[in-house]
Amino acid sequence: MFKKSAARSRAIVSVAASADLHVLEACVDANKKGLATFILVGDAEKTQQIANEAGLDISDFEMVNEPDNIQACKKAVALVASGRASALMKGLVDTSAIMRASLDRETGIRTGRKLSHIAAFELAGYHKLLFITDAAINIAPTQEDKVQIVQNAVEALNNLGLTAPKVALLAAKETVDEKMPVTLDCQALAKMPFDNCIVDGPLALDNAISEEACRVKGISSPVGGDADLLVAPDIEAGNVLYKSLTQFTKAQVGGVILGAKAPVILTSRSDSAENKLLSIALGAIIGSLIKGD
């Protein structure tokens, strides 16, 4: 879905610390498929050498020479802050370094909103794309944190064309129990007036994605069995769910960080080529729409 949308955008992705084979392969592949073009910020000589040795043509990309990785992060972020680029991508540099540059109060791309991660899964056993938040950033989000996490995700889904996504607030059970504080959070969040979405919870995972589970348990929910977005109660649950899907089902997945002025694309060496493309496509279309292209 969003790969087709990204191909219609005019996204420019700024890559911090570009001298990495896996990153360059992903950029070249994404460019060939029309998903985005790239500004490579890093050691220009090393970047070109890596490309030459791998037979990768990066001549279409602008290159900004900056051998120091910390400075490369700052320059890549500056390209986004100035409007030259519509998304930021991590190259061969620690995630902490690119996030420090992104969150710099004077030169970064922070908005004041809490950052959060969203992942999009293409699952053989589910009838549509399934999104999960937050499996990577917020360790033990408070109720107020979850408000911002939901807002970040819903705005992203709206940008991707889902005008009223169904949001399932996950817990271990679908009933409110004072011994399980997360169910109280879900109950409170479900009563809040979120825009452009349908929110319900607490819902156990099976109730969120299975109409049959709802029928058997007698659950009547506007979200049950048809969720677009699963909101994890904490990072442990979100991360275990994320990795269970990728490891056991080999699901295709793309993920980005939301809440800044532009999405931040974090791909891993262990990601498949397809999953890297999905992350770039997700970041490209969200970033392009935020920028207003």
Side-chain angles (χ1 to χ4, degrees):
M1 181 186 98
F2 51 81
K3 280 203 294 184
K4 293 180 180 178
S5 298
R8 293 194 297 269
S9 75
R10 296 188 298 275
I12 300 175
V13 179
S14 174
V15 182
S18 57
D20 179 82
L21 174 60
H22 300 275
V23 169
L24 293 177
E25 287 175 337
C27 292
V28 169
D29 199 12
N31 182 250
K32 286 180 178 178
K33 290 179 169 60
L35 302 182
T37 189
F38 298 84
I39 303 175
L40 306 178
V41 185
D43 189 315
E45 184 177 349
K46 286 184 179 179
T47 299
Q48 189 63 62
Q49 180 181 353
I50 290 169
N52 291 343
E53 290 176 352
L56 298 173
D57 182 4
I58 58 173
S59 60
D60 287 342
F61 303 154
E62 181 181 343
M63 194 174 296
V64 177
N65 184 41
E66 179 50 74
D68 182 88
N69 279 350
I70 300 302
Q71 292 303 313
C73 288
K74 292 180 179 180
K75 290 184 178 181
V77 168
L79 289 167
V80 176
S82 69
R84 286 280 318 281
S86 51
L88 178 67
M89 182 174 173
K90 183 179 83 74
L92 187 61
V93 67
D94 289 342
T95 299
S96 59
I98 196 169
M99 295 314 299
R100 276 197 301 272
S102 298
L103 295 175
D104 186 282
R105 292 186 179 278
E106 295 183 359
T107 60
I109 52 175
R110 64 191 302 155
T111 62
R113 182 176 287 184
K114 181 167 285 294
L115 298 184
S116 58
H117 184 267
I118 189 170
F121 284 85
E122 291 184 348
L123 298 164
Y126 200 59
H127 56 284
K128 56 184 174 180
L129 281 175
L130 184 64
F131 295 82
I132 296 174
T133 192
D134 175 343
I137 300 294
N138 294 282
I139 297 172
T142 64
Q143 187 179 117
E144 178 53 37
D145 291 339
K146 290 175 184 176
V147 171
Q148 295 185 60
I149 289 169
V150 171
Q151 288 173 335
N152 285 346
V154 168
E155 287 180 11
L157 296 189
N158 291 160
N159 281 340
L160 292 170
L162 297 174
T163 57
K166 296 180 179 180
V167 180
L169 305 168
L170 293 184
K173 58 193 296 187
E174 65 276 1
T175 55
V176 177
D177 186 339
E178 291 186 357
K179 294 180 181 179
M180 301 177 68
V182 67
T183 65
L184 300 175
D185 280 353
C186 292
Q187 182 186 49
L189 289 166
K191 293 179 180 179
M192 292 182 184
F194 290 101
D195 294 330
N196 306 317
C197 62
I198 303 167
V199 180
D200 197 21
L203 287 169
L205 177 61
D206 56 344
N207 307 326
I209 62 173
S210 169
E211 290 183 353
E212 178 64 13
C214 290
R215 186 190 67 78
V216 170
K217 293 184 178 180
I219 296 171
S220 177
S221 166
V223 172
D226 194 37
D228 295 290
L229 173 67
L230 304 179
V231 181
D234 55 33
I235 198 169
E236 283 87 359
N239 195 266
V240 169
L241 176 57
Y242 180 106
K243 290 180 178 175
S244 295
L245 292 175
T246 57
Q247 295 299 311
F248 288 129
T249 73
K250 304 302 179 184
Q252 294 182 352
V253 58
V256 297
I257 294 175
L258 306 171
K261 292 179 182 177
V264 181
I265 304 165
L266 303 178
T267 61
S268 168
R269 287 174 179 265
S270 62
D271 288 340
S272 68
E274 180 66 15
N275 287 354
K276 287 173 183 173
L277 282 175
L278 290 172
S279 291
I280 291 171
L282 184 61
I285 186 60
I286 293 173
S288 181
L289 288 169
I290 289 174
K291 187 181 174 187
D293 289 345

